[in-house]
Amino acid sequence: MEFLVASSVGVLTAAGVYLLLRAHTFPVVLGLTLLSYATNVYLFATGRLAINAPPLIDEQVARYTDPLPQALVLTAIVISFGMTALLVVMALRSWSASGDDHVDGGQAAPGTAPEDRR
Amino acid sequence: MNHWILLPVLLPALLGSVLVLIGRRDPVIARTLSVTSCAALLALVVSLLATASTAGPQVYALGDWPAPFGIVLVLDRLAALMLVLANLLALLVLLSAIGGADREGQHFHALWQFQVMGINGAFLTGDFFNLFVFFEILLIASYGLMVHGGGRERLRAGVQYVVVNLVGSTLFLLAVGLIYSVTGTLNMADLASRVPEVAAGDRALLHTGALLLLLVFALKAALVPVHFWLPGTYAHAPAAVAALFAIMTKVGAYAIIRLFTLAFGDDAGASSWLAAPWLLPAAMLTLLAGMTGVLGAQSLAQLAGFAVIGSMGTLLMAVALFTEEALSAALYYLLHSTLAAAALFLLVGMIAQRRGSAGDRLRVAPPVAQAPLLGALFFIAAIAVCGMPPLSGFIGKLLILDSARESVSASWIWGLILGTSLLAIIGFSRAGSLVFWKSVAQPEAQDAGGGGAAEDEGAAPPARGGALPLVATSALLAGLVGLTVFAGPVSEWLDDTAAQVHEPAQYVDAVLGAAAGNE
């Protein structure tokens, strides 16, 4: 269990960072998504891994799992989902406005105002 | 419980939702509501400031859940100070935006209110995860504001800004998770009381989490090595938005001050002053990088962006000393640099509008319309940003230099602050003389705005927004003058604030005591 969770966090993070460093927006979006998955799995594990234990107080149960990380993960999922949607929209707008999907724009020299390049 | 504490978060949240619905139909109502709300908030936070400066830290338990379990909002002097600064800035900059910049795209006022809500919440909250949520609120509103009006370069810069901040958010979550896994709490006050008791074996994990948080806050505060996003973002954002963003870097600085004095201060045992060895060199490099950037900037907006980086370097250098005196000086400089940077960005926006096709680029171009007025304002703003007498930048730097006298790194701090001030003066005088004095006599093309003849002044520019941006800029500069004139009382008040910040027991007792006593 520990090995499974730890290695999935590690693999997701590694793949996410690799994709994040690509030059085009689509791999970057995928990379950010993988990173946020890694974070979610990791956050879930911060409450310690307890199998077959409820997160609620019940008189018949002696062993609990920590409910707080689960609430955090829920919030984090919602936020990262919204952010990913926003990023996709902005990347699409940027692509349709400039005709390429390079994250850093590539050719244009820094510091020149938009008028130069239209 | 003082229920007014909730209102700086609640009012913009409600109004933002209303403005989404009516903003597009009726711009006049939207403007009126937006400005009224900002003015009301300013009045409210000033009264909260008065409360905070007489009473101790005030705690508001959301949903009346007691402290370590529920989320609390905490109003102490530092939070109240930041609230007043943020809402003053929001009101003044909004005044300049309703001159016309708000009509370039949709939902400007709704986004503005959500941005204000996020900023206010970040200053008030006493819980780490809640801080993350407020960061996300202010960031998502800032993404919308950043690309307000659209345009190719702006969208591209916007995408970069979003990506950088999403990585920052991921790191924030990882750091919060680390800290929670070691201490079992997300409440700042509770964390402060648990840090000294952390087992020796877990301390490395705790430190990793705390330093990751420092990295995240440094990203917001544009500290070297994570400062690279700022010049591009600020240079491409609309002027009014860039001016409001002047407070966003300070949110990062505030979070650094809050976390590392409260939980990792004197009482933290093996973890005390965890951030100091990392923060000081980073701040020094930031100052150097910022002011060197000022020298090399190719447009006025970039110049202003690099000046912001430099000022963050100066500010965090003082913070990194982690003494009461230095913190008081840092807070004074924080007030000054926020107002000065905002005024500078508004000015850059106005100059770019009045230079025809040359925009804000630093090259020879037809003369600026209304050059005497704008030139004078630019001169005042430049003096303030460079930290020359007689304005408050000088007093701020003097206070920082004075407070650094005892430090081991005093010679470095003195040398860097004084040396980079010279760089800033050179950079700003180059920019100012190029823009206002070295103009060609004839228009470079068939630009209507140019002309170069004296009779064109004032009449020629398509003065979008009329006098409102000028009024807002002048008000910001007047704020600097006020800060200079009342430097004595202000810095006395700030001394008390710094003393309160350096006594985390007050904060902890207020939060956890309120739970026990069920006030």
Side-chain angles (χ1 to χ4, degrees):
Chain A
M1 178 81 175
E2 279 83 2
F3 176 75
L4 192 64
V5 171
S7 57
S8 65
V9 171
V11 170
L12 280 173
T13 310
V17 170
Y18 174 76
L19 286 172
L20 191 65
L21 297 174
R22 307 273 89 195
H24 295 270
T25 42
F26 183 66
V28 169
V29 173
L30 279 187
L32 279 171
T33 316
L34 289 185
L35 265 186
S36 74
Y37 290 165
T39 314
N40 292 342
V41 176
Y42 166 79
L43 270 185
F44 189 78
T46 56
R48 305 297 185 269
L49 299 165
I51 301 175
N52 286 337
L56 297 167
I57 292 186
D58 188 346
E59 285 181 356
Q60 276 108 51
V61 194
R63 220 164 52 93
Y64 303 104
T65 181
D66 190 345
L68 193 85
Q70 307 193 5
L72 300 190
V73 170
L74 271 182
T75 318
I77 288 175
V78 173
I79 290 180
S80 71
F81 177 73
M83 290 294 181
T84 309
L86 182 100
L87 181 60
V88 168
V89 170
M90 281 185 57
L92 275 176
R93 284 286 299 274
S94 169
W95 173 70
S96 66
S98 64
D100 69 59
D101 64 344
H102 279 271
V103 177
D104 58 358
Q107 316 80 13
T112 38
E115 285 90 338
D116 275 1
R117 283 174 243 155
R118 274 196 195 131
Chain B
M1 277 196 292
N2 181 355
H3 288 276
W4 292 106
I5 297 176
L6 187 59
L7 215 54
V9 181
L10 196 61
L11 183 64
L14 292 177
L15 190 72
S17 333
V18 173
L19 284 173
V20 170
L21 298 176
I22 64 165
R24 223 180 331 177
R25 297 257 168 72
D26 198 334
V28 179
I29 293 189
R31 284 177 178 176
T32 320
L33 276 179
S34 204
V35 173
T36 317
S37 146
C38 277
L41 271 185
L42 181 59
L44 173 71
V45 295
V46 167
S47 76
L48 285 182
L49 180 86
T51 321
S53 50
T54 47
Q58 313 257 313
V59 179
Y60 184 85
L62 292 169
D64 214 10
W65 289 93
F69 308 108
I71 293 170
V72 287
L73 301 183
V74 186
L75 177 86
D76 64 349
R77 297 173 72 111
L78 179 62
L81 174 77
M82 299 304 292
L83 281 178
V84 168
L85 179 65
N87 288 284
L88 176 71
L89 191 72
L91 176 65
L92 290 178
V93 179
L94 184 64
L95 275 184
S96 88
I98 61 172
D102 60 335
R103 302 297 307 278
E104 283 171 16
Q106 288 171 354
H107 299 308
F108 180 85
H109 292 291
L111 288 169
W112 192 270
Q113 294 298 328
F114 286 129
Q115 173 92 65
V116 170
M117 169 200 174
I119 294 173
N120 287 349
F123 289 145
L124 277 173
T125 187
D127 181 282
F128 278 119
F129 199 75
N130 200 228
L131 182 67
F132 166 74
V133 174
F134 278 123
F135 265 36
E136 293 305 303
I137 292 173
L138 75 87
L139 283 175
I140 204 161
S142 79
Y143 303 153
L145 285 174
M146 155 81 210
V147 296
H148 176 75
R152 191 176 116 177
E153 288 310 309
R154 192 171 284 173
L155 275 167
R156 172 133 47 206
V159 170
Q160 292 167 8
Y161 175 62
V162 175
V163 171
V164 166
N165 278 298
L166 284 182
V167 176
S169 305
T170 311
L171 288 177
F172 197 152
L173 277 177
L174 288 173
V176 166
L178 265 175
I179 291 179
Y180 178 76
S181 69
V182 176
T183 59
T185 185
L186 291 170
N187 185 293
M188 296 185 196
D190 201 25
L191 178 70
S193 58
R194 288 194 195 194
V195 163
E197 296 153 17
V198 169
D202 286 343
R203 207 162 273 279
L205 277 178
L206 177 71
H207 287 187
T208 313
L211 290 176
L212 259 182
L213 270 186
L214 177 68
L215 181 67
V216 175
F217 298 151
L219 180 72
K220 309 278 183 252
L223 204 64
V224 169
V226 281
H227 66 292
F228 50 84
W229 58 272
L230 191 140
T233 305
Y234 283 35
H236 290 295
V241 174
L244 180 66
F245 281 11
I247 190 76
M248 300 251 292
T249 46
K250 275 67 182 183
V251 177
Y254 166 83
I256 291 177
I257 297 174
R258 178 60 87 210
L259 173 66
F260 289 99
T261 54
L262 186 62
F264 299 96
D266 264 336
D267 311 326
S271 309
S272 49
W273 307 125
L274 181 63
W278 300 88
L279 196 55
L280 192 60
M284 286 178 175
L285 285 176
T286 309
L287 176 58
L288 201 59
M291 291 313 181
T292 315
V294 164
L295 272 189
Q298 289 167 322
S299 72
L300 277 178
Q302 261 192 347
L303 180 92
F306 278 112
V308 168
I309 295 186
S311 74
M312 289 312 291
T314 313
L315 167 60
L316 286 169
M317 225 190 253
V319 170
L321 293 176
F322 286 116
T323 61
E324 263 181 56
E325 249 193 333
L327 184 62
S328 163
L331 291 177
Y332 185 88
Y333 193 74
L334 185 149
L335 291 176
H336 152 80
S337 66
T338 309
L339 296 179
L344 193 60
F345 276 114
L346 289 184
L347 261 174
V348 169
M350 283 191 285
I351 292 171
Q353 257 181 40
R354 287 161 173 77
R355 268 181 101 208
S357 67
D360 66 340
R361 269 163 297 164
L362 287 176
R363 63 173 171 79
V364 179
V368 191
Q370 289 178 315
L373 178 60
L374 285 181
L377 288 177
F378 184 82
F379 184 62
I380 299 174
I383 285 183
V385 172
C386 297
M388 294 217 291
L391 281 178
S392 47
F394 174 70
I395 301 176
K397 282 191 178 174
L398 201 62
L399 287 171
I400 291 179
L401 290 180
D402 192 39
S403 67
R405 211 186 290 242
E406 313 271 298
S407 155
V408 212
S409 341
S411 52
W412 280 97
I413 294 176
W414 276 63
L416 268 172
I417 289 186
L418 295 175
T420 52
S421 297
L422 179 66
L423 290 186
I425 293 169
I426 296 173
F428 272 88
S429 38
R430 183 187 72 113
S433 50
L434 195 64
V435 169
F436 291 101
W437 288 343
K438 253 193 207 166
S439 44
V440 284
Q442 79 281 11
E444 50 172 8
Q446 70 281 21
D447 283 334
E455 68 263 23
D456 272 359
E457 270 177 21
R464 202 185 52 199
L468 273 174
L470 275 177
V471 173
T473 313
S474 314
L476 287 169
L477 292 177
L480 291 181
V481 175
L483 207 54
T484 315
V485 174
F486 298 105
V490 169
S491 59
E492 266 169 37
W493 194 88
L494 292 175
D495 284 342
D496 292 345
T497 307
Q500 193 187 44
V501 171
H502 272 266
E503 216 178 293
Q506 267 192 49
Y507 186 100
V508 175
D509 288 348
V511 174
L512 300 179
N518 208 2
E519 208 182 314

